Amino acid sequence: MRRTRPPAVLLAVLAVLLGILGLGPTAQAAAPAESRAAAATGLHIGGGRLLEGNGNDFIMRGVNHAHTWYPSQTQSLADIKALGANTVRVVLSNGHRWTKNSPEDVAAIVAQCKANRLICVLEVHDTTGYGEESAAASLDQAADYWIGIKSVLTGEENYIVINIGNEPWGNTNPAGWTAPTTAAIQKLRGAGFQHTIMVDAPNWGQDWQNVMRDNAQSVYQADTTGNLIFSIHMYSVYDTAQEITDYLNAFVSARLPILIGEFGGPPDQYGDPDENTMMAAAQQLKLGYLAWSWSGNTDPILDMTTNFDPTKLTDWGKRVFNGPNGIAETSREATVYSGGSGGDTQAPTAPGTPTASAVTATSATLTWPAATDNVGVAGYDIVRVSGGTETRVATSTGTSASITGLTAATSYTFAVYARDAAGNRSARSATVGVTTEAGGGSGAGCAVGYRVVGDWGSGFQGEIAIRNTGSAAISGWTLGFSFANGQTISNMWGGTPQQSGAAVTVTPAAYTSTIPVGGSVTVGFTANRGSTNSAPTAFTLSGSSCATG
């Protein structure tokens, strides 16, 4: 993986500090940007929010792309857009640690963002871990790079945000972040930049000592235009809902603009980030998020695609694009691409009736006649229909899709929606029935871990990790267990629960339906409880008993 992580010993210290000290004080309210900014040019800040030039709210929904290390993978921008993103954060280098991206290369990237109707966040990655990483560039050096390529950035204020430097301070003396951050902002403003500027937090972007949070107002006030947005990177430091919501709400309450500029979900050697809360909180608070990363990590645990192939989404990619509060569900294209304040409001026509082929015990292929649109169809959402409810099971940029993770000898009903780049959705197609073949779906070779993530007396948040300890992939599973103390599930992500008294069965979401050999999936939930909250003691997967722990 190309990102550098905080050393494990420091994260251990952090855990103690968070436990003892809690989160830092809430930032003070900032003066509204409108009272200090000149007439808005392109993307700008107003009332603590990121706005387009026409005053429309713009909420980033996108991913990070490692352009500087993979300069030939320019097709990725089109692929990212096709899956529904409205923003891409592009990794660049000022030449301090990696090969410098030339003005011509940056101009070409901006042009491709525009051609693919994406807002482009440009960042210098060489600053990562400054003060702790000896090879890192300073923010002042990053500012000099931006000034050196100013000619290709001026006039693009509607389409780009300048992220001065990635994670520009490590864990050593993080208080040292404030002064050089302020100086870099002022240096760019002094050079005539009118763009919205983004600044990353210290502590390798995660701000676990709350330096950015506590100094956000003074840094914001130092920008004479008011067009400044803060970026928090959320990884294993943010493993509880309270940590995530407390941090984001501190900025929102103070009317200080913020987004989640990077985040991860899969557990790593440092912990298990709570990506479900990150995405849910961002949606609730109407904040942007940019997931790390499209492809090409040295450690592929955070790759969303395999080898940059958009048809081979990893579980992490499926979660980000197709899961609850994901990009496909929540992204809306910038109106600068769709024509003024109203934008493109015409939905595509309904796709034709789908047909099924290549039906097996755990999968089927659906094909349908294309929809039409006044601008263009961007993609299709395939849903499973059950009574009056729908569950999205796949997305496609073409007119066919492979549906996996089905249960053997089971009848399903599917339908298709079309959507355009502006986020308009068609009427639903007619449905098609599919009955899978017998066999498959074995639950043998499994282990289940259950834990309580948070507890507030009358209710709690729980997490269930299902591991495949067998010799073959598990698809189309059904998890079974029983509560001992009358607990009742109120909400679940990663699966769909059915509860009858104490007995609970869980079927997977599309992005958790397959568990590879040696791999695992996680299901999270909230539940009501009484005075006692004992953990379930036994679990089955598709009827077979699983080990616990």
Side-chain angles (χ1 to χ4, degrees), residues 292-325:
W292 186 276
S293 72
W294 180 245
S295 196
N297 288 288
T298 304
D299 179 352
I301 189 171
L302 287 175
D303 280 358
M304 297 179 193
T305 62
T306 301
N307 296 325
F308 297 91
D309 186 344
T311 68
K312 296 179 180 178
L313 288 180
T314 64
D315 286 346
W316 175 227
K318 293 174 184 176
R319 172 67 189 95
V320 169
F321 284 103
N322 300 329
N325 301 303

PDB file of all heavy atoms in Angstrom, residues 292-325:
ATOM      1  N   TRP A 292     -10.390   5.526   0.013  1.00  0.00           N
ATOM      2  CA  TRP A 292      -9.070   5.075  -0.451  1.00  0.00           C
ATOM      3  C   TRP A 292      -9.150   3.585  -0.735  1.00  0.00           C
ATOM      4  O   TRP A 292      -9.563   2.826   0.140  1.00  0.00           O
ATOM      5  CB  TRP A 292      -8.014   5.360   0.616  1.00  0.00           C
ATOM      6  CG  TRP A 292      -6.640   5.052   0.121  1.00  0.00           C
ATOM      7  CD1 TRP A 292      -6.030   3.839   0.107  1.00  0.00           C
ATOM      8  CD2 TRP A 292      -5.723   5.981  -0.484  1.00  0.00           C
ATOM      9  NE1 TRP A 292      -4.781   3.938  -0.458  1.00  0.00           N
ATOM     10  CE2 TRP A 292      -4.567   5.245  -0.835  1.00  0.00           C
ATOM     11  CE3 TRP A 292      -5.756   7.344  -0.766  1.00  0.00           C
ATOM     12  CZ2 TRP A 292      -3.468   5.831  -1.438  1.00  0.00           C
ATOM     13  CZ3 TRP A 292      -4.663   7.926  -1.363  1.00  0.00           C
ATOM     14  CH2 TRP A 292      -3.527   7.168  -1.697  1.00  0.00           C
ATOM     15  N   SER A 293      -8.731   3.094  -1.895  1.00  0.00           N
ATOM     16  CA  SER A 293      -8.431   3.811  -3.106  1.00  0.00           C
ATOM     17  C   SER A 293      -8.774   2.896  -4.261  1.00  0.00           C
ATOM     18  O   SER A 293      -8.974   1.701  -4.073  1.00  0.00           O
ATOM     19  CB  SER A 293      -6.959   4.236  -3.156  1.00  0.00           C
ATOM     20  OG  SER A 293      -6.110   3.122  -3.385  1.00  0.00           O
ATOM     21  N   TRP A 294      -8.760   3.423  -5.470  1.00  0.00           N
ATOM     22  CA  TRP A 294      -9.265   2.696  -6.639  1.00  0.00           C
ATOM     23  C   TRP A 294      -8.494   1.397  -6.869  1.00  0.00           C
ATOM     24  O   TRP A 294      -9.079   0.318  -6.952  1.00  0.00           O
ATOM     25  CB  TRP A 294      -9.199   3.614  -7.857  1.00  0.00           C
ATOM     26  CG  TRP A 294      -9.675   3.010  -9.140  1.00  0.00           C
ATOM     27  CD1 TRP A 294      -8.932   2.749 -10.251  1.00  0.00           C
ATOM     28  CD2 TRP A 294     -11.014   2.596  -9.452  1.00  0.00           C
ATOM     29  NE1 TRP A 294      -9.714   2.206 -11.235  1.00  0.00           N
ATOM     30  CE2 TRP A 294     -10.998   2.095 -10.781  1.00  0.00           C
ATOM     31  CE3 TRP A 294     -12.218   2.597  -8.752  1.00  0.00           C
ATOM     32  CZ2 TRP A 294     -12.137   1.609 -11.418  1.00  0.00           C
ATOM     33  CZ3 TRP A 294     -13.361   2.110  -9.384  1.00  0.00           C
ATOM     34  CH2 TRP A 294     -13.318   1.622 -10.690  1.00  0.00           C
ATOM     35  N   SER A 295      -7.170   1.471  -6.988  1.00  0.00           N
ATOM     36  CA  SER A 295      -6.365   0.261  -7.208  1.00  0.00           C
ATOM     37  C   SER A 295      -4.894   0.631  -7.089  1.00  0.00           C
ATOM     38  O   SER A 295      -4.532   1.808  -7.112  1.00  0.00           O
ATOM     39  CB  SER A 295      -6.639  -0.338  -8.592  1.00  0.00           C
ATOM     40  OG  SER A 295      -6.178  -1.676  -8.681  1.00  0.00           O
ATOM     41  N   GLY A 296      -4.040  -0.400  -6.927  1.00  0.00           N
ATOM     42  CA  GLY A 296      -2.608  -0.191  -6.996  1.00  0.00           C
ATOM     43  C   GLY A 296      -1.897  -0.063  -5.674  1.00  0.00           C
ATOM     44  O   GLY A 296      -0.711   0.279  -5.648  1.00  0.00           O
ATOM     45  N   ASN A 297      -2.571  -0.329  -4.538  1.00  0.00           N
ATOM     46  CA  ASN A 297      -1.902  -0.287  -3.247  1.00  0.00           C
ATOM     47  C   ASN A 297      -0.856  -1.401  -3.160  1.00  0.00           C
ATOM     48  O   ASN A 297      -1.076  -2.516  -3.651  1.00  0.00           O
ATOM     49  CB  ASN A 297      -2.907  -0.462  -2.114  1.00  0.00           C
ATOM     50  CG  ASN A 297      -3.779   0.763  -1.928  1.00  0.00           C
ATOM     51  OD1 ASN A 297      -3.314   1.786  -1.453  1.00  0.00           O
ATOM     52  ND2 ASN A 297      -5.040   0.660  -2.317  1.00  0.00           N
ATOM     53  N   THR A 298       0.266  -1.112  -2.508  1.00  0.00           N
ATOM     54  CA  THR A 298       1.270  -2.144  -2.287  1.00  0.00           C
ATOM     55  C   THR A 298       0.673  -3.317  -1.523  1.00  0.00           C
ATOM     56  O   THR A 298       0.917  -4.479  -1.831  1.00  0.00           O
ATOM     57  CB  THR A 298       2.461  -1.557  -1.515  1.00  0.00           C
ATOM     58  OG1 THR A 298       2.957  -0.433  -2.231  1.00  0.00           O
ATOM     59  CG2 THR A 298       3.569  -2.590  -1.360  1.00  0.00           C
ATOM     60  N   ASP A 299      -0.134  -3.004  -0.501  1.00  0.00           N
ATOM     61  CA  ASP A 299      -0.949  -3.998   0.184  1.00  0.00           C
ATOM     62  C   ASP A 299      -2.367  -3.839  -0.362  1.00  0.00           C
ATOM     63  O   ASP A 299      -3.018  -2.820  -0.123  1.00  0.00           O
ATOM     64  CB  ASP A 299      -0.926  -3.759   1.692  1.00  0.00           C
ATOM     65  CG  ASP A 299      -1.780  -4.751   2.458  1.00  0.00           C
ATOM     66  OD1 ASP A 299      -2.518  -5.535   1.809  1.00  0.00           O
ATOM     67  OD2 ASP A 299      -1.745  -4.741   3.692  1.00  0.00           O
ATOM     68  N   PRO A 300      -2.875  -4.815  -1.126  1.00  0.00           N
ATOM     69  CA  PRO A 300      -4.141  -4.619  -1.841  1.00  0.00           C
ATOM     70  C   PRO A 300      -5.389  -4.667  -0.974  1.00  0.00           C
ATOM     71  O   PRO A 300      -6.502  -4.654  -1.506  1.00  0.00           O
ATOM     72  CB  PRO A 300      -4.138  -5.778  -2.852  1.00  0.00           C
ATOM     73  CG  PRO A 300      -3.318  -6.843  -2.208  1.00  0.00           C
ATOM     74  CD  PRO A 300      -2.241  -6.111  -1.446  1.00  0.00           C
ATOM     75  N   ILE A 301      -5.247  -4.675   0.355  1.00  0.00           N
ATOM     76  CA  ILE A 301      -6.423  -4.791   1.214  1.00  0.00           C
ATOM     77  C   ILE A 301      -7.408  -3.643   0.974  1.00  0.00           C
ATOM     78  O   ILE A 301      -8.618  -3.810   1.136  1.00  0.00           O
ATOM     79  CB  ILE A 301      -6.012  -4.859   2.700  1.00  0.00           C
ATOM     80  CG1 ILE A 301      -7.221  -5.192   3.587  1.00  0.00           C
ATOM     81  CG2 ILE A 301      -5.364  -3.548   3.158  1.00  0.00           C
ATOM     82  CD1 ILE A 301      -6.863  -5.474   5.022  1.00  0.00           C
ATOM     83  N   LEU A 302      -6.900  -2.473   0.563  1.00  0.00           N
ATOM     84  CA  LEU A 302      -7.772  -1.326   0.327  1.00  0.00           C
ATOM     85  C   LEU A 302      -7.986  -1.039  -1.160  1.00  0.00           C
ATOM     86  O   LEU A 302      -8.508   0.021  -1.511  1.00  0.00           O
ATOM     87  CB  LEU A 302      -7.225  -0.081   1.029  1.00  0.00           C
ATOM     88  CG  LEU A 302      -7.375  -0.069   2.551  1.00  0.00           C
ATOM     89  CD1 LEU A 302      -6.701   1.151   3.158  1.00  0.00           C
ATOM     90  CD2 LEU A 302      -8.844  -0.100   2.949  1.00  0.00           C
ATOM     91  N   ASP A 303      -7.623  -1.949  -2.033  1.00  0.00           N
ATOM     92  CA  ASP A 303      -7.955  -1.806  -3.450  1.00  0.00           C
ATOM     93  C   ASP A 303      -9.452  -2.018  -3.643  1.00  0.00           C
ATOM     94  O   ASP A 303     -10.024  -3.003  -3.148  1.00  0.00           O
ATOM     95  CB  ASP A 303      -7.205  -2.833  -4.293  1.00  0.00           C
ATOM     96  CG  ASP A 303      -5.766  -2.435  -4.564  1.00  0.00           C
ATOM     97  OD1 ASP A 303      -5.356  -1.338  -4.136  1.00  0.00           O
ATOM     98  OD2 ASP A 303      -5.055  -3.234  -5.204  1.00  0.00           O
ATOM     99  N   MET A 304     -10.093  -1.138  -4.399  1.00  0.00           N
ATOM    100  CA  MET A 304     -11.510  -1.313  -4.718  1.00  0.00           C
ATOM    101  C   MET A 304     -11.719  -2.158  -5.962  1.00  0.00           C
ATOM    102  O   MET A 304     -12.804  -2.707  -6.158  1.00  0.00           O
ATOM    103  CB  MET A 304     -12.170   0.048  -4.916  1.00  0.00           C
ATOM    104  CG  MET A 304     -12.151   0.895  -3.666  1.00  0.00           C
ATOM    105  SD  MET A 304     -12.912   2.478  -3.979  1.00  0.00           S
ATOM    106  CE  MET A 304     -12.386   3.321  -2.497  1.00  0.00           C
ATOM    107  N   THR A 305     -10.691  -2.213  -6.807  1.00  0.00           N
ATOM    108  CA  THR A 305     -10.742  -3.061  -7.991  1.00  0.00           C
ATOM    109  C   THR A 305      -9.488  -3.915  -8.036  1.00  0.00           C
ATOM    110  O   THR A 305      -8.460  -3.565  -7.452  1.00  0.00           O
ATOM    111  CB  THR A 305     -10.811  -2.223  -9.281  1.00  0.00           C
ATOM    112  OG1 THR A 305      -9.627  -1.425  -9.387  1.00  0.00           O
ATOM    113  CG2 THR A 305     -12.024  -1.319  -9.294  1.00  0.00           C
ATOM    114  N   THR A 306      -9.580  -5.016  -8.731  1.00  0.00           N
ATOM    115  CA  THR A 306      -8.418  -5.862  -8.960  1.00  0.00           C
ATOM    116  C   THR A 306      -7.751  -5.442 -10.259  1.00  0.00           C
ATOM    117  O   THR A 306      -8.374  -5.463 -11.326  1.00  0.00           O
ATOM    118  CB  THR A 306      -8.839  -7.341  -9.039  1.00  0.00           C
ATOM    119  OG1 THR A 306      -9.480  -7.719  -7.813  1.00  0.00           O
ATOM    120  CG2 THR A 306      -7.630  -8.236  -9.264  1.00  0.00           C
ATOM    121  N   ASN A 307      -6.512  -4.969 -10.152  1.00  0.00           N
ATOM    122  CA  ASN A 307      -5.732  -4.556 -11.325  1.00  0.00           C
ATOM    123  C   ASN A 307      -6.464  -3.512 -12.169  1.00  0.00           C
ATOM    124  O   ASN A 307      -6.480  -3.589 -13.400  1.00  0.00           O
ATOM    125  CB  ASN A 307      -5.361  -5.767 -12.179  1.00  0.00           C
ATOM    126  CG  ASN A 307      -4.449  -6.729 -11.463  1.00  0.00           C
ATOM    127  OD1 ASN A 307      -3.594  -6.315 -10.684  1.00  0.00           O
ATOM    128  ND2 ASN A 307      -4.633  -8.023 -11.700  1.00  0.00           N
ATOM    129  N   PHE A 308      -7.100  -2.560 -11.506  1.00  0.00           N
ATOM    130  CA  PHE A 308      -7.759  -1.427 -12.164  1.00  0.00           C
ATOM    131  C   PHE A 308      -8.943  -1.854 -13.039  1.00  0.00           C
ATOM    132  O   PHE A 308      -9.398  -1.072 -13.875  1.00  0.00           O
ATOM    133  CB  PHE A 308      -6.755  -0.612 -12.995  1.00  0.00           C
ATOM    134  CG  PHE A 308      -5.670   0.035 -12.176  1.00  0.00           C
ATOM    135  CD1 PHE A 308      -4.472  -0.619 -11.938  1.00  0.00           C
ATOM    136  CD2 PHE A 308      -5.858   1.294 -11.635  1.00  0.00           C
ATOM    137  CE1 PHE A 308      -3.465  -0.019 -11.180  1.00  0.00           C
ATOM    138  CE2 PHE A 308      -4.858   1.889 -10.874  1.00  0.00           C
ATOM    139  CZ  PHE A 308      -3.670   1.241 -10.635  1.00  0.00           C
ATOM    140  N   ASP A 309      -9.444  -3.050 -12.857  1.00  0.00           N
ATOM    141  CA  ASP A 309     -10.535  -3.574 -13.692  1.00  0.00           C
ATOM    142  C   ASP A 309     -11.877  -3.273 -13.027  1.00  0.00           C
ATOM    143  O   ASP A 309     -12.193  -3.861 -11.982  1.00  0.00           O
ATOM    144  CB  ASP A 309     -10.363  -5.079 -13.880  1.00  0.00           C
ATOM    145  CG  ASP A 309     -11.375  -5.663 -14.863  1.00  0.00           C
ATOM    146  OD1 ASP A 309     -12.384  -5.000 -15.162  1.00  0.00           O
ATOM    147  OD2 ASP A 309     -11.156  -6.803 -15.315  1.00  0.00           O
ATOM    148  N   PRO A 310     -12.705  -2.392 -13.593  1.00  0.00           N
ATOM    149  CA  PRO A 310     -13.974  -2.028 -12.938  1.00  0.00           C
ATOM    150  C   PRO A 310     -14.981  -3.162 -12.895  1.00  0.00           C
ATOM    151  O   PRO A 310     -15.963  -3.086 -12.148  1.00  0.00           O
ATOM    152  CB  PRO A 310     -14.487  -0.867 -13.794  1.00  0.00           C
ATOM    153  CG  PRO A 310     -13.880  -1.101 -15.145  1.00  0.00           C
ATOM    154  CD  PRO A 310     -12.517  -1.676 -14.862  1.00  0.00           C
ATOM    155  N   THR A 311     -14.767  -4.214 -13.685  1.00  0.00           N
ATOM    156  CA  THR A 311     -15.665  -5.372 -13.619  1.00  0.00           C
ATOM    157  C   THR A 311     -15.265  -6.332 -12.507  1.00  0.00           C
ATOM    158  O   THR A 311     -15.952  -7.328 -12.281  1.00  0.00           O
ATOM    159  CB  THR A 311     -15.670  -6.137 -14.962  1.00  0.00           C
ATOM    160  OG1 THR A 311     -14.388  -6.751 -15.173  1.00  0.00           O
ATOM    161  CG2 THR A 311     -15.984  -5.199 -16.108  1.00  0.00           C
ATOM    162  N   LYS A 312     -14.137  -6.046 -11.834  1.00  0.00           N
ATOM    163  CA  LYS A 312     -13.662  -6.917 -10.753  1.00  0.00           C
ATOM    164  C   LYS A 312     -13.566  -6.119  -9.456  1.00  0.00           C
ATOM    165  O   LYS A 312     -12.492  -5.895  -8.906  1.00  0.00           O
ATOM    166  CB  LYS A 312     -12.302  -7.523 -11.106  1.00  0.00           C
ATOM    167  CG  LYS A 312     -12.349  -8.440 -12.323  1.00  0.00           C
ATOM    168  CD  LYS A 312     -10.971  -8.998 -12.657  1.00  0.00           C
ATOM    169  CE  LYS A 312     -11.020  -9.911 -13.867  1.00  0.00           C
ATOM    170  NZ  LYS A 312      -9.667 -10.431 -14.228  1.00  0.00           N
ATOM    171  N   LEU A 313     -14.727  -5.651  -8.987  1.00  0.00           N
ATOM    172  CA  LEU A 313     -14.757  -4.943  -7.723  1.00  0.00           C
ATOM    173  C   LEU A 313     -14.435  -5.894  -6.579  1.00  0.00           C
ATOM    174  O   LEU A 313     -14.958  -7.016  -6.520  1.00  0.00           O
ATOM    175  CB  LEU A 313     -16.133  -4.322  -7.483  1.00  0.00           C
ATOM    176  CG  LEU A 313     -16.537  -3.105  -8.319  1.00  0.00           C
ATOM    177  CD1 LEU A 313     -17.931  -2.642  -7.923  1.00  0.00           C
ATOM    178  CD2 LEU A 313     -15.547  -1.969  -8.169  1.00  0.00           C
ATOM    179  N   THR A 314     -13.585  -5.465  -5.667  1.00  0.00           N
ATOM    180  CA  THR A 314     -13.332  -6.222  -4.452  1.00  0.00           C
ATOM    181  C   THR A 314     -14.499  -6.027  -3.482  1.00  0.00           C
ATOM    182  O   THR A 314     -15.404  -5.212  -3.716  1.00  0.00           O
ATOM    183  CB  THR A 314     -12.040  -5.739  -3.788  1.00  0.00           C
ATOM    184  OG1 THR A 314     -12.226  -4.361  -3.382  1.00  0.00           O
ATOM    185  CG2 THR A 314     -10.858  -5.830  -4.741  1.00  0.00           C
ATOM    186  N   ASP A 315     -14.479  -6.741  -2.367  1.00  0.00           N
ATOM    187  CA  ASP A 315     -15.523  -6.536  -1.356  1.00  0.00           C
ATOM    188  C   ASP A 315     -15.521  -5.087  -0.873  1.00  0.00           C
ATOM    189  O   ASP A 315     -16.578  -4.510  -0.619  1.00  0.00           O
ATOM    190  CB  ASP A 315     -15.307  -7.486  -0.173  1.00  0.00           C
ATOM    191  CG  ASP A 315     -15.680  -8.919  -0.501  1.00  0.00           C
ATOM    192  OD1 ASP A 315     -16.351  -9.140  -1.532  1.00  0.00           O
ATOM    193  OD2 ASP A 315     -15.292  -9.826   0.251  1.00  0.00           O
ATOM    194  N   TRP A 316     -14.320  -4.502  -0.741  1.00  0.00           N
ATOM    195  CA  TRP A 316     -14.231  -3.108  -0.322  1.00  0.00           C
ATOM    196  C   TRP A 316     -14.839  -2.199  -1.398  1.00  0.00           C
ATOM    197  O   TRP A 316     -15.586  -1.266  -1.099  1.00  0.00           O
ATOM    198  CB  TRP A 316     -12.774  -2.750  -0.049  1.00  0.00           C
ATOM    199  CG  TRP A 316     -12.490  -1.310   0.272  1.00  0.00           C
ATOM    200  CD1 TRP A 316     -11.501  -0.542  -0.265  1.00  0.00           C
ATOM    201  CD2 TRP A 316     -13.167  -0.470   1.227  1.00  0.00           C
ATOM    202  NE1 TRP A 316     -11.517   0.721   0.277  1.00  0.00           N
ATOM    203  CE2 TRP A 316     -12.538   0.786   1.196  1.00  0.00           C
ATOM    204  CE3 TRP A 316     -14.245  -0.656   2.081  1.00  0.00           C
ATOM    205  CZ2 TRP A 316     -12.947   1.864   1.993  1.00  0.00           C
ATOM    206  CZ3 TRP A 316     -14.661   0.408   2.885  1.00  0.00           C
ATOM    207  CH2 TRP A 316     -14.015   1.644   2.830  1.00  0.00           C
ATOM    208  N   GLY A 317     -14.550  -2.479  -2.650  1.00  0.00           N
ATOM    209  CA  GLY A 317     -15.143  -1.690  -3.722  1.00  0.00           C
ATOM    210  C   GLY A 317     -16.652  -1.824  -3.773  1.00  0.00           C
ATOM    211  O   GLY A 317     -17.380  -0.837  -3.978  1.00  0.00           O
ATOM    212  N   LYS A 318     -17.148  -3.038  -3.584  1.00  0.00           N
ATOM    213  CA  LYS A 318     -18.601  -3.237  -3.568  1.00  0.00           C
ATOM    214  C   LYS A 318     -19.248  -2.473  -2.423  1.00  0.00           C
ATOM    215  O   LYS A 318     -20.333  -1.909  -2.565  1.00  0.00           O
ATOM    216  CB  LYS A 318     -18.916  -4.733  -3.440  1.00  0.00           C
ATOM    217  CG  LYS A 318     -18.521  -5.558  -4.656  1.00  0.00           C
ATOM    218  CD  LYS A 318     -18.736  -7.045  -4.398  1.00  0.00           C
ATOM    219  CE  LYS A 318     -18.258  -7.894  -5.560  1.00  0.00           C
ATOM    220  NZ  LYS A 318     -18.394  -9.348  -5.267  1.00  0.00           N
ATOM    221  N   ARG A 319     -18.560  -2.468  -1.261  1.00  0.00           N
ATOM    222  CA  ARG A 319     -19.113  -1.733  -0.110  1.00  0.00           C
ATOM    223  C   ARG A 319     -19.207  -0.242  -0.412  1.00  0.00           C
ATOM    224  O   ARG A 319     -20.240   0.389  -0.147  1.00  0.00           O
ATOM    225  CB  ARG A 319     -18.214  -1.960   1.128  1.00  0.00           C
ATOM    226  CG  ARG A 319     -18.590  -1.093   2.331  1.00  0.00           C
ATOM    227  CD  ARG A 319     -19.954  -1.510   2.862  1.00  0.00           C
ATOM    228  NE  ARG A 319     -20.461  -0.593   3.868  1.00  0.00           N
ATOM    229  CZ  ARG A 319     -21.292   0.423   3.634  1.00  0.00           C
ATOM    230  NH1 ARG A 319     -21.669   0.686   2.390  1.00  0.00           N
ATOM    231  NH2 ARG A 319     -21.745   1.172   4.603  1.00  0.00           N
ATOM    232  N   VAL A 320     -18.138   0.320  -0.964  1.00  0.00           N
ATOM    233  CA  VAL A 320     -18.104   1.765  -1.189  1.00  0.00           C
ATOM    234  C   VAL A 320     -19.086   2.175  -2.278  1.00  0.00           C
ATOM    235  O   VAL A 320     -19.820   3.162  -2.127  1.00  0.00           O
ATOM    236  CB  VAL A 320     -16.678   2.208  -1.554  1.00  0.00           C
ATOM    237  CG1 VAL A 320     -16.662   3.649  -2.054  1.00  0.00           C
ATOM    238  CG2 VAL A 320     -15.757   2.065  -0.340  1.00  0.00           C
ATOM    239  N   PHE A 321     -19.130   1.436  -3.357  1.00  0.00           N
ATOM    240  CA  PHE A 321     -19.976   1.846  -4.473  1.00  0.00           C
ATOM    241  C   PHE A 321     -21.435   1.416  -4.303  1.00  0.00           C
ATOM    242  O   PHE A 321     -22.347   2.195  -4.595  1.00  0.00           O
ATOM    243  CB  PHE A 321     -19.428   1.305  -5.792  1.00  0.00           C
ATOM    244  CG  PHE A 321     -18.224   2.052  -6.286  1.00  0.00           C
ATOM    245  CD1 PHE A 321     -16.958   1.515  -6.149  1.00  0.00           C
ATOM    246  CD2 PHE A 321     -18.360   3.295  -6.866  1.00  0.00           C
ATOM    247  CE1 PHE A 321     -15.838   2.201  -6.595  1.00  0.00           C
ATOM    248  CE2 PHE A 321     -17.251   4.005  -7.318  1.00  0.00           C
ATOM    249  CZ  PHE A 321     -15.989   3.456  -7.177  1.00  0.00           C
ATOM    250  N   ASN A 322     -21.670   0.198  -3.837  1.00  0.00           N
ATOM    251  CA  ASN A 322     -23.019  -0.363  -3.886  1.00  0.00           C
ATOM    252  C   ASN A 322     -23.669  -0.602  -2.535  1.00  0.00           C
ATOM    253  O   ASN A 322     -24.842  -0.973  -2.476  1.00  0.00           O
ATOM    254  CB  ASN A 322     -23.001  -1.689  -4.657  1.00  0.00           C
ATOM    255  CG  ASN A 322     -22.506  -1.513  -6.072  1.00  0.00           C
ATOM    256  OD1 ASN A 322     -22.705  -0.468  -6.678  1.00  0.00           O
ATOM    257  ND2 ASN A 322     -21.834  -2.523  -6.605  1.00  0.00           N
ATOM    258  N   GLY A 323     -22.929  -0.406  -1.437  1.00  0.00           N
ATOM    259  CA  GLY A 323     -23.486  -0.657  -0.120  1.00  0.00           C
ATOM    260  C   GLY A 323     -24.352   0.489   0.375  1.00  0.00           C
ATOM    261  O   GLY A 323     -24.526   1.521  -0.286  1.00  0.00           O
ATOM    262  N   PRO A 324     -24.940   0.343   1.579  1.00  0.00           N
ATOM    263  CA  PRO A 324     -25.759   1.402   2.176  1.00  0.00           C
ATOM    264  C   PRO A 324     -24.962   2.702   2.312  1.00  0.00           C
ATOM    265  O   PRO A 324     -23.799   2.692   2.715  1.00  0.00           O
ATOM    266  CB  PRO A 324     -26.124   0.826   3.550  1.00  0.00           C
ATOM    267  CG  PRO A 324     -25.987  -0.648   3.401  1.00  0.00           C
ATOM    268  CD  PRO A 324     -24.874  -0.861   2.427  1.00  0.00           C
ATOM    269  N   ASN A 325     -25.593   3.813   1.929  1.00  0.00           N
ATOM    270  CA  ASN A 325     -24.954   5.140   1.942  1.00  0.00           C
ATOM    271  C   ASN A 325     -23.753   5.206   1.016  1.00  0.00           C
ATOM    272  O   ASN A 325     -22.896   6.067   1.180  1.00  0.00           O
ATOM    273  CB  ASN A 325     -24.552   5.543   3.366  1.00  0.00           C
ATOM    274  CG  ASN A 325     -25.732   5.589   4.308  1.00  0.00           C
ATOM    275  OD1 ASN A 325     -26.703   6.302   4.063  1.00  0.00           O
ATOM    276  ND2 ASN A 325     -25.669   4.797   5.375  1.00  0.00           N
TER     277      ASN A 325
END
